[in-house]
Amino acid sequence: MSIILRGISYRHTNQQPLFSNISLSVPEGAKVSLIGANGVGKSTLMQIMAGRLTPATGSVTASSHLCYIPQNTAPDSRNVAEMLGVAGKIEALRAICAGSVDPILFDTLSDDWDIEDRCHTALAQWGLSHIGPDTPASELSGGERTKAMLAALALHSPDTVLLDEPTNHLDRTARARLYRYIEQTSATLIVVSHDITLLNLLNTTYELTSEGVKSYGGNYDFYRKQRDAEEQSLTEQIEAGHNALRTARKRAQEAQQRQERRTAQGERNKSKGGTARIIMNARGAQAENSTSQLRLRHTAIIEQTQQKLNLLRQRQTHRAELKIDFNNAVIHTGKRLVRASGLCFAYNDGATLWSHPLDIEICSGGRVHIAGDNGSGKTTLVRLLLGHLTPTHGRVERADFSTACLDQEYKALDTPLTVLQMAERHNVRHLADHDIKMRLDRALFPASSWDKPCHTLSGGERMRLMLCCMMISDHSPDLFVLDEPTNNLDIESLAILTDTIREYRGTLMVISHDDRFIDQIGITQTIDLTPLRP
């Protein structure tokens, strides 16, 4: 069945409304995207569709056989069976196999006698054959948690699927599988994503703005062409409005000048005599009244033209630019920062992370891409190279250099501290108050957002605030480490971030599955861990 929203409004606690009076209908079997700037409320609207949040006003009609996969799959106390929504069935199966004849267990299991085998099959399809239903979620990487959630689609075969940034943390292989699923499924799909490849697989685009939702009957490329045409038309209308306003003001001035000349001529005629004073006074009163009427008429024309222009300006989208301006690093290019020899790492069970030891050298000015499938040890390698973990084999030599790191979970922002308070906490260099606020504004946090609690920020807002805080605390890191930096940015901010990283003249270490991003930032060295997994 379709999803229908009627008059949906929502507001965060003690905050202004996030959106108001949202109405839309997604037909059965449709494949649609929901796009919009970070913080506009896309994830919140998805949670309302999924029944996870209650709107302030309005109603939702949705399928009871719906699967919702959220954007943030942070580790928690669940195991994989609970993530897949089959823990009850597996417990019932195991109890029955152990000899229980409790009718409730048989009702719970129903006909799913092969549920454990189906779990293993579904997980293996997403490259997770090394985990099982009892595996704790805390042992999985971000990409593995996302893939485990996606495996639930095969187990439950929902008729409606809500996906919020599903390609976040996914490696190339998993992304390709997700693309195939989207192309082949008959389920109704609603997807929030910044992945343009994915967005172009969806046949309808909904844009969420502060004004509401607008539908475009095509994929992202079609939407972009339509929006560009709309913005060009609006720009032309605004320019025409400016011209009309200038013309109206010029005509008002010319009319005023003509009237002033006639009035002056009348006064000169009066002083010369020859006409009865009573007639001259009557003519003067008539001229004064005519001048007043003329002024009112032109004032009304100007005000009407100005109002039309203001309405056009309100419709115009002002694309704010993300401005994170790290200075260039001070270390000269070519200095060896890190050298790893015979490096490997073993978990508590003794199993090594890679099939053979690594020899790595990173020099200043390099732009290093650490590639590999989910679970191949990319984040672990970064922690080893930076000295945050001790290797179980080999050695790591490090020079003295400053580092700025951005973790993919934004853990520092799981706090009720406000945006401004978080920025002030990172002000270790004792910048002036106006400097802190200027940097917030350049990171697209205007004064109206400074009192917003950090834990209510969207994924993209969290990314921008972390970048801003890093800029405040250390304006010129020698080594800038980015772990999946593009995951939660909207498309416009992603373009600006790409430009920022491309222009930064320091050493970069980047973990990313985003091929478009990697191609654009000038990578000079790639460490691919995919072939090294045992």
Side-chain angles (χ1 to χ4, degrees):
M1 65 177 294
S2 63
I3 289 183
I4 301 173
L5 305 184
R6 300 180 183 88
I8 297 294
S9 300
Y10 187 83
R11 69 173 64 228
H12 292 300
T13 305
N14 300 323
Q15 298 289 322
Q16 293 294 319
L18 184 60
F19 44 71
S20 300
N21 198 31
I22 298 294
S23 296
L24 63 85
S25 177
V26 180
E28 183 177 353
K31 299 177 181 180
V32 308
S33 64
L34 180 64
I35 65 172
N38 285 138
V40 76
K42 301 184 297 296
S43 293
T44 299
L45 192 59
M46 292 280 275
Q47 291 180 67
I48 290 174
M49 293 182 198
R52 301 286 185 92
L53 287 177
T54 302
T57 64
S59 63
V60 179
T61 301
S63 169
S64 59
H65 197 30
L66 178 149
C67 183
Y68 165 62
I69 298 180
Q71 175 181 159
N72 296 315
T73 54
D76 51 36
S77 59
R78 296 180 298 169
N79 61 21
V80 169
E82 291 170 310
M83 294 176 66
L84 294 173
V86 295
K89 288 182 178 292
I90 289 178
E91 290 174 4
L93 175 63
R94 291 174 178 175
I96 292 170
C97 291
S100 175
V101 293
D102 187 341
I104 295 177
L105 296 176
F106 286 87
D107 289 341
T108 299
L109 183 60
S110 186
D111 294 326
D112 289 323
W113 294 94
D114 60 346
I115 187 62
E116 284 205 73
D117 290 337
R118 289 173 56 215
C119 281
H120 285 289
T121 299
L123 291 168
Q125 288 175 343
W126 287 95
L128 299 176
S129 56
H130 59 290
I131 71 173
D134 298 321
T135 303
S138 58
E139 294 182 4
L140 306 181
S141 69
E144 288 173 326
R145 290 194 299 273
T146 299
K147 286 191 281 190
M149 296 286 287
L150 289 168
L153 298 175
L155 290 175
H156 300 289
S157 299
D159 56 32
T160 302
V161 178
L162 308 181
L163 303 174
D164 192 353
E165 295 288 1
T167 58
N168 280 2
H169 311 298
L170 289 187
D171 53 43
R172 289 191 185 100
T173 302
R175 287 188 183 209
R177 177 169 182 79
L178 178 62
Y179 298 157
R180 287 196 300 273
Y181 169 80
I182 288 173
E183 289 176 317
Q184 297 171 3
T185 185
S186 60
T188 303
L189 287 178
I190 302 179
V191 184
V192 170
S193 180
H194 67 272
D195 183 337
I196 295 177
T197 301
L198 187 157
L199 293 175
N200 278 330
L201 299 176
L202 306 169
N203 50 32
T204 302
T205 303
Y206 286 99
E207 183 182 29
L208 178 63
T209 69
S210 58
E211 302 298 318
V213 173
K214 185 174 181 179
S215 174
Y216 293 83
N219 64 11
Y220 181 81
D221 283 348
F222 175 83
Y223 153 81
R224 190 65 264 172
K225 291 177 182 177
Q226 292 294 107
R227 288 287 285 124
D228 288 345
E230 290 175 2
E231 289 174 8
Q232 179 61 33
S233 174
L234 187 56
T235 299
E236 293 172 356
Q237 291 179 57
I238 289 174
E239 181 60 30
H242 280 298
N243 292 335
L245 186 59
R246 284 193 293 267
T247 299
R249 287 172 173 166
K250 181 179 179 181
R251 288 177 177 173
Q253 183 179 16
E254 291 172 347
Q256 177 69 21
Q257 290 171 347
R258 286 195 300 270
Q259 189 63 39
E260 288 174 354
R261 287 195 295 270
R262 285 195 293 268
T263 300
Q265 183 61 46
E267 291 296 326
R268 287 193 294 271
N269 292 339
K270 184 191 299 185
S271 63
K272 292 178 181 179
T275 304
R277 180 172 296 276
I278 191 170
I279 295 176
M280 294 300 298
N281 288 340
R283 288 178 177 174
Q286 183 179 7
E288 184 175 340
N289 184 55
S290 177
T291 299
S292 177
Q293 290 179 347
L294 184 64
R295 186 183 299 112
L296 289 173
R297 184 165 66 252
H298 280 287
T299 297
I301 293 172
I302 292 172
E303 289 179 352
Q304 186 179 25
T305 306
Q306 183 70 65
Q307 288 174 0
K308 291 180 179 178
L309 181 58
N310 290 342
L311 289 174
L312 290 171
R313 285 171 174 165
Q314 290 174 13
R315 290 170 49 198
Q316 190 174 36
T317 301
H318 295 284
R319 299 196 178 278
E321 293 188 352
L322 179 65
K323 299 176 182 177
I324 303 295
D325 53 350
F326 291 99
N327 285 339
N328 294 335
V330 296
I331 296 180
H332 64 83
T333 299
K335 177 181 178 180
R336 189 171 66 205
L337 300 181
V338 180
R339 181 169 67 181
S341 305
L343 180 66
C344 205
F345 185 78
Y347 296 113
N348 294 333
D349 60 4
T352 57
L353 186 55
W354 304 296
S355 59
H356 60 268
L358 306 178
D359 295 320
I360 297 171
E361 184 170 282
I362 296 174
C363 296
S364 59
R367 306 172 83 81
V368 183
H369 175 212
I370 299 180
D373 287 344
N374 296 132
S376 60
K378 300 183 296 297
T379 300
T380 298
L381 177 59
V382 170
R383 296 182 67 195
L384 288 167
L385 295 177
L386 297 183
H388 300 161
L389 275 180
T390 301
T392 50
H393 302 282
R395 58 183 297 183
V396 179
E397 301 174 34
R398 283 176 295 276
D400 184 21
F401 58 88
S402 63
T403 304
C405 299
L406 185 68
D407 74 271
Q408 57 184 288
E409 303 292 351
Y410 320 122
K411 295 173 183 175
L413 298 181
D414 292 330
T415 171
L417 289 178
T418 66
V419 167
L420 181 57
Q421 289 170 337
M422 181 58 68
E424 291 170 340
R425 171 179 283 190
H426 284 77
N427 186 21
V428 296
R429 296 183 296 145
H430 307 292
L431 298 175
D433 183 64
H434 72 272
D435 284 331
I436 298 296
K437 293 176 177 178
M438 176 192 70
R439 284 164 171 76
L440 283 172
D441 188 70
R442 288 170 65 84
L444 310 186
F445 289 101
S448 59
S449 68
W450 294 345
D451 291 332
K452 192 173 183 179
C454 290
H455 63 78
T456 67
L457 297 178
S458 69
E461 288 172 320
R462 285 180 167 225
M463 167 65 80
R464 288 190 278 109
L465 183 56
M466 285 303 300
L467 284 172
C468 182
C469 288
M470 289 162 57
M471 182 179 66
I472 290 170
S473 62
D474 187 356
H475 204 251
S476 54
D478 299 318
L479 175 62
F480 192 19
V481 181
L482 299 173
D483 192 347
E484 296 290 356
T486 66
N487 273 352
N488 297 291
L489 290 182
D490 61 35
I491 294 170
E492 301 297 335
S493 294
L494 173 57
I496 302 302
L497 176 65
T498 301
D499 289 342
T500 302
I501 297 301
R502 185 169 51 224
E503 294 171 5
Y504 171 64
R505 291 297 171 261
T507 310
L508 291 175
M509 188 183 296
V510 183
I511 296 174
S512 179
H513 298 295
D514 189 332
D515 289 341
R516 292 167 63 97
F517 177 70
I518 290 300
D519 289 343
Q520 293 173 353
I521 62 174
I523 291 298
T524 60
Q525 179 182 353
T526 298
I527 302 171
D528 191 350
L529 300 181
T530 300
L532 303 177
R533 185 169 179 172

